[in-house]
């Protein structure tokens, strides 16, 4: 991940196995800061045109990155270039434009494989996003593997897209959905997780980083626990990919999913990684053009993987835009970026925790990217609405993790979520805005 760009020197970012900050006191952050080159956040911000605007007369502080991240100029340029110069359908054209489009599309597959450290680009399937990736696995691999009385294990930390597809499968098959519990900090209880891995567990599906709390699950250990019992694993990396280095071979998971739009790429595109032997053995998800080798009315021979899973004309421009996002990210120094992101979350956590009647929700020892909080007596939606008037964009609600919020005894939280282009000044604007909320509501 070394290259030219802001902050530039090869380095190692956070490990995917539980590094990150823990609430206010981030052990190891000082040492990492000393070792990492400086991160020039102002230089990086110049790459994101959308950040430089006023909202309701105040400078925009975009702190809703867990919902979707902003796009650098390089991604916008890639989309414009594709549509103004190269637009054509892929894989079947003999003409120059189709060849250009095909090679740009397939080049992103190779970049995605590098991003994930996959063994082969054939292990990369382009989908619409994390949601579609999980549905694909549930409806192909899961449907073939799960039967009546079997179990699917998930965790309390899942986003709805890590719950509902498995629930649908379990309903169809007469199987049981088991849920590994968390403690009050928002950490998975590892002993209970392990105890739930039983002889009927057919697949484990778990989130790498919680979108509602920012908890980083120790996925490598969790995958190893499942593997020792021969149970396959799917990791939902929607919130991990924008913050942590991902190494699917090191994690040894069978499937890994993430969305382009949270990774500074276009909407409508995502990646499903799957181990090649599993992808080979799985039936297709949808039928149609491009996923076939030959068709007759009697029988269809499917295309080789990964094309077997990409029926119909895909989001060609979106995939090419994602390729530009991978390139952009590869030019940021990962260690410098990680230190900056850690600093933002620690700083924001300390400042919000110091506000009277505010409470940080989710105090796991390993966190990244997300600060959820509540203020006694004020509904999170009111917090979000008043912050918007101050130019501060956050999210309020159940964050598509209703069972998790229920476990925490809350209907909703306010959530500020960070990207590497955010600044301490934006955190200050958040805290000032919360002061205004408290004034308005007379707390
Ligand atoms: C942890 C997690 N999983 C899955 C998803 C679903 O992603 P998408 O809507 O891009 O399919 C999200 C989106 O917020 C998420 O945060």
């Amino acid at each position: 991940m070394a290259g030219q760009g802001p902050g530039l020197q090869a380095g190692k970012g956070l490990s995917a196995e539980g590094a990150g900050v823990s609430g206010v006191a981030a052990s190891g952050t000082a040492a990492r800061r000393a070792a990492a080159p400086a991160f020039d956040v102002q230089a990086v911000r110049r790459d994101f045109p959308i950040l430089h605007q006023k909202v309701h007369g105040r400078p925009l502080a975009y702190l809703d990155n867990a919902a979707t991240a902003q796009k650098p100029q390089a991604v916008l340029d890639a989309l414009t270039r594709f549509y103004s110069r190269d637009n054509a359908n892929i894989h079947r054209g003999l003409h120059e434009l189709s060849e250009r489009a095909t090679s740009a599309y397939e080049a992103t597959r190779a970049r995605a494989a590098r991003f994930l450290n996959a063994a082969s680009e054939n292990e990369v399937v382009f989908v619409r996003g994390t949601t579609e990736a999980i549905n694909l696995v549930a409806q192909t691999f899961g449907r073939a593997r799960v039967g009546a009385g079997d179990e699917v294990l998930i965790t309390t930390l899942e986003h709805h897209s890590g719950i509902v597809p498995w629930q649908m499968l379990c309903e169809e098959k007469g199987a049981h959905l088991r849920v590994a519990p968390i403690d009050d900090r928002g950490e998975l209880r590892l002993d209970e997780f392990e105890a739930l891995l039983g002889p009927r567990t057919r697949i484990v599906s778990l989130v790498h980083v919680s979108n509602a709390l920012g908890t980083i699950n120790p996925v490598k250990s969790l995958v190893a626990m499942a593997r020792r019992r021969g149970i396959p694993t799917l990791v939902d990396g929607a919130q991990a990919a924008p913050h942590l280095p991902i190494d699917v071979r090191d994690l040894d998971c069978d499937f890994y999913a993430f969305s382009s739009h949270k990774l500074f790429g276009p909407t409508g595109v995502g990646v499903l990684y799957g181990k090649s032997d599993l992808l080979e053995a799985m039936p297709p998800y949808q039928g149609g053009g491009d996923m076939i080798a030959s068709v007759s009315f009697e029988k269809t021979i499917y295309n080789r993987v990964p094309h077997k899973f990409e029926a119909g004309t895909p989001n060609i421009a979106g995939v090419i835009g994602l390729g530009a996002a991978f390139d952009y990210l590869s030019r940021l120094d990962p260690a410098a970026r990680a230190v900056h992101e850690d600093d933002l979350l620690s700083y924001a956590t300390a400042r919000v925790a110091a506000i009277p009647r505010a409470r940080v929700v989710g105090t796991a020892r390993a966190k990244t990217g997300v600060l959820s909080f509540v203020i006694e007596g004020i509904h999170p939606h009111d917090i979000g609405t008043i912050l918007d008037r101050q130019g501060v964009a956050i999210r309020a609600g159940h964050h598509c993790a209703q069972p998790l919020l229920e476990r925490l005894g809350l209907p909703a939280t306010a959530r500020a979520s960070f990207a590497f282009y955010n600044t301490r000044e934006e955190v200050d604007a958040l805290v000032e805005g919360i002061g205004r909320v408290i004034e308005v509501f007379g707390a």
Side-chain angles (χ1 to χ4, degrees):
M1 289 260 293
Q4 284 86 54
L8 311 179
Q9 214 178 297
K12 243 182 132 5
L14 293 173
S15 107
E17 184 70 354
V21 296
S22 166
V24 184
S27 71
T29 297
R32 278 207 300 276
R33 184 177 301 137
F39 186 74
D40 187 347
V41 67
Q42 293 307 334
V44 163
R45 287 176 70 79
R46 286 196 286 276
D47 297 331
F48 290 80
I50 201 170
L51 298 178
H52 309 284
Q53 62 175 298
K54 290 193 168 174
V55 169
H56 303 302
R58 306 286 288 270
L60 168 67
Y62 185 78
L63 303 179
D64 194 17
N65 294 285
T68 198
Q70 301 302 349
K71 323 303 173 199
Q73 188 64 49
V75 168
L76 307 179
D77 289 346
L79 294 173
T80 308
R81 202 167 43 242
F82 172 72
Y83 278 126
S84 49
R85 216 190 52 183
D86 302 332
N87 178 48
N89 214 328
I90 55 169
H91 291 152
R92 43 200 163 212
L94 292 174
H95 57 81
E96 167 69 18
L97 267 54
S98 177
E99 276 170 21
R100 276 191 225 152
T102 304
S103 75
Y105 180 91
E106 290 300 330
T108 300
R109 205 187 298 279
R111 286 189 188 95
R114 274 202 301 280
F115 179 81
L116 292 162
N117 195 30
S120 155
E121 60 197 67
N122 293 335
E123 295 180 321
V124 171
V125 179
F126 290 120
V127 288
R128 276 195 302 131
T130 308
T131 304
E132 188 174 51
I134 300 175
N135 277 280
L136 187 159
V137 175
Q139 289 302 318
T140 57
F141 183 78
R143 192 179 255 173
R145 198 178 156 82
V146 174
D150 287 340
E151 296 175 3
V152 173
L153 178 60
I154 61 169
T155 81
T156 307
L157 290 166
E158 303 310 308
H159 183 277
H160 292 165
S161 63
I163 303 172
V164 184
W166 300 115
Q167 225 164 28
M168 290 163 63
L169 178 69
C170 287
E171 268 171 28
E172 179 190 321
K173 296 288 187 170
H176 307 289
L177 191 66
R178 299 277 182 247
V179 185
I182 55 166
D183 64 20
D184 291 338
R185 287 179 301 201
E187 286 185 8
L188 192 62
R189 298 188 48 178
L190 305 187
D191 49 342
E192 303 234 13
F193 174 87
E194 187 155 31
L196 281 163
L197 295 167
R200 299 304 298 265
T201 313
R202 292 288 171 261
I203 185 161
V204 173
S205 177
L206 74 156
V207 75
H208 195 162
V209 171
S210 156
N211 68 306
L213 304 182
T215 306
I216 304 174
N217 268 331
V219 277
K220 187 173 172 181
S221 313
L222 299 167
V223 167
M225 287 178 198
R227 182 152 309 288
R228 280 198 290 277
R229 293 161 177 84
I231 303 167
T233 48
L234 178 149
V235 179
D236 166 356
Q239 298 295 342
H243 299 289
L244 303 176
I246 310 299
D247 184 335
V248 288
R249 277 189 279 179
D250 183 52
L251 295 176
D252 201 23
C253 55
D254 295 288
F255 301 101
Y256 196 97
F258 66 89
S259 300
S260 154
H261 71 100
K262 295 183 198 286
L263 194 70
F264 317 100
T267 50
V269 173
V271 165
L272 171 66
Y273 157 83
K275 281 189 174 161
S276 54
D277 54 332
L278 297 181
L279 292 180
E280 290 289 353
M282 281 156 58
Y285 178 46
Q286 294 176 330
D290 232 31
M291 53 76 73
I292 53 89
S294 74
V295 178
S296 72
F297 286 120
E298 289 70 41
K299 180 156 178 66
T300 291
I301 311 288
Y302 303 131
N303 206 340
R304 62 185 178 85
V305 295
H307 308 290
K308 181 172 81 174
F309 297 104
E310 294 177 10
T313 300
N315 186 345
I316 304 166
V319 167
I320 291 169
L322 172 60
F326 285 135
D327 284 351
Y328 179 82
L329 290 171
S330 74
R331 293 196 293 272
L332 303 178
D333 179 80
R337 194 186 134 183
V339 167
H340 174 68
E341 290 190 32
D342 262 11
D343 175 68
L344 276 178
L345 184 55
S346 307
Y347 180 67
T349 304
R351 291 223 57 196
V352 170
I355 297 170
R357 298 173 66 176
R359 178 164 70 84
V360 171
V361 180
T363 52
R365 285 163 293 182
K367 284 181 65 172
T368 187
V370 169
L371 174 62
S372 254
F373 61 96
V374 288
I375 300 173
E376 199 192 322
I378 306 178
H379 195 281
H381 283 146
D382 293 328
I383 301 174
T385 306
I386 305 236
L387 284 176
D388 174 55
R389 306 301 301 178
Q390 318 296 306
V392 179
I394 64 151
R395 183 150 288 228
H398 55 54
H399 315 298
C400 294
Q402 256 180 318
L404 169 60
L405 277 263
E406 197 173 304
R407 157 64 182 82
L408 298 169
L410 294 166
T413 71
R415 181 188 74 182
S417 54
F418 305 99
F420 56 78
Y421 45 62
N422 288 126
T423 64
R424 278 189 171 218
E425 290 69 31
E426 290 177 309
V427 173
D428 293 339
L430 167 72
V431 173
E432 199 183 300
I434 295 173
R436 177 82 188 121
V437 173
I438 292 172
E439 251 171 58
V440 169
F441 284 89

